[in-house]
Amino acid sequence: MIKNGKVLYFLGTLVVAASLCLSGCSRKTTVVLLPEDDGGAGAMTVSTDAGTVEIVRAGEATVVSSRTSRPSPPEELSSEEIESVFGEVLKNLPMKPVHFILYFEFGTTKLTADSTARLVEVLAAIERRSSESISVVGHTDTVGDTSHNRRLAKGRAEAVSRLLVDKGVHRDYIRSTSHGESNPLVETGDNVRELRNRRVEVVVR
Amino acid sequence: MNYKMLFCTAVLLAGLPAICLASRDSIAFVDSVRGEATIESAGRSIPAVANMKMFTGDLVRTGSKGSVGLIFDDDSVVAIGPESELQVEEFLFHPAEDELSFVARMFKGTFSFITGQIAKLAPEKVRLETPEATLGVRGTKFAVEIK
């Protein structure tokens, strides 16, 4: 009799364990914060119906087993642990796009000397990413009428595109557009000379 | 924005929804693909290839040796590992109009992220869901495993 009772108890435990597994231990979410390129780290919140855990240091992780349980307290993972789970998916993370602003001499499509020198950095970014997606957007300040500035901004974008193509960038990878005077970096009144608005923005993706 | 909506409404009334769908803005593109990976877009599943555009609602799915790298319009970058599924539920990046939002759902697999301008400008508008948890982000790099 005692034996049978033990068997029943054992079976009962199995059923309870199995039903818990269906809702909980068959799945879990692990979230780990990672160091950014500059060495710092941001912060994240991980929430369920039962509460929120914050992870704020590079390498800190929390594990969540269900919507109805609290995320585990933050725990530091070793770089080996991170590598074994996330090594592959981190290797495939694309490089973050980079933005450049190049400035122009007043009323022209001629880059300033400083900005001409920066073209080297733009080309290096394109090469590092093997980029096939480069956008070049031209802008003007508010001197002159709108349609003239639309053409001037287009001319600036095309001038930069040509410089990149001359250095070996495939023309099909560049998308060049004009915003005219409508999207200034610095707000000014009409007919105001402003170097910071006479620009081309290059985004290398 | 309003012109586009008006245009779309007119097109839909004329019974030409395909044009309207084709004119919606892309939100990201495929930077790299390895192995088996598909994107389910507007009910159709197509193999993912480099430079393919992505739209709100798209679901990325990878096979046992598959992986995909994505670059979003706000400079967020995401890698999706093998046996994984991720759907972009909402993506708005119009800083001038203050329309910002990034909501994605991960169903299974491994993922890595570097968040971009939306997380910088409006961190409260970034929400990532897994079956077990909701993640909030303040401009950062992180990884997620669901298994």
Side-chain angles (χ1 to χ4, degrees), chain B residues 12-32:
Chain B
L12 284 170
L13 286 173
L16 301 164
I19 297 172
C20 208
L21 285 175
S23 74
R24 67 202 170 126
D25 293 327
S26 71
I27 58 164
F29 71 94
V30 175
D31 180 62
S32 62

Side-chain angles (χ1 to χ4, degrees), chain A residues 27-30 45 47 89 99, chain B residues 75 107 130 132 136 145 147:
Chain A
R27 296 188 83 126
K28 63 175 187 175
T29 292
T30 305
T45 55
S47 307
V89 82
H99 295 235
Chain B
D75 297 343
F107 297 94
T130 81
E132 289 80 29
E145 183 196 38
K147 72 165 193 184

Side-chain angles (χ1 to χ4, degrees), chain A residues 101-104 111-120 122 198:
Chain A
I101 300 183
L102 305 173
Y103 299 99
F104 290 79
L111 283 170
T112 63
D114 282 355
S115 290
T116 303
R118 288 203 73 196
L119 276 176
V120 185
V122 179
R198 296 196 296 270

Side-chain angles (χ1 to χ4, degrees), chain A residues 96-101 122 125-126 129 131-137 164 173-175 200-205, chain B residues 71-75 117:
Chain A
K96 213 174 165 172
V98 59
H99 295 235
F100 298 90
I101 300 183
V122 179
I126 293 170
R129 287 166 177 73
S131 175
E132 297 182 10
S133 172
I134 302 143
S135 65
V136 178
V137 183
L164 295 177
Y173 298 163
I174 303 175
R175 197 178 59 204
V200 155
E201 298 190 1
V202 182
V203 185
V204 181
R205 299 184 178 90
Chain B
I71 300 182
F72 285 82
D73 280 3
D74 78 324
D75 297 343
Q117 295 180 55

Side-chain angles (χ1 to χ4, degrees), chain B residues 38-54:
Chain B
T38 58
I39 295 183
E40 194 179 304
S41 191
R44 285 197 319 148
S45 189
I46 35 180
V49 292
N51 294 315
M52 182 183 271
K53 285 182 173 155
M54 277 188 60

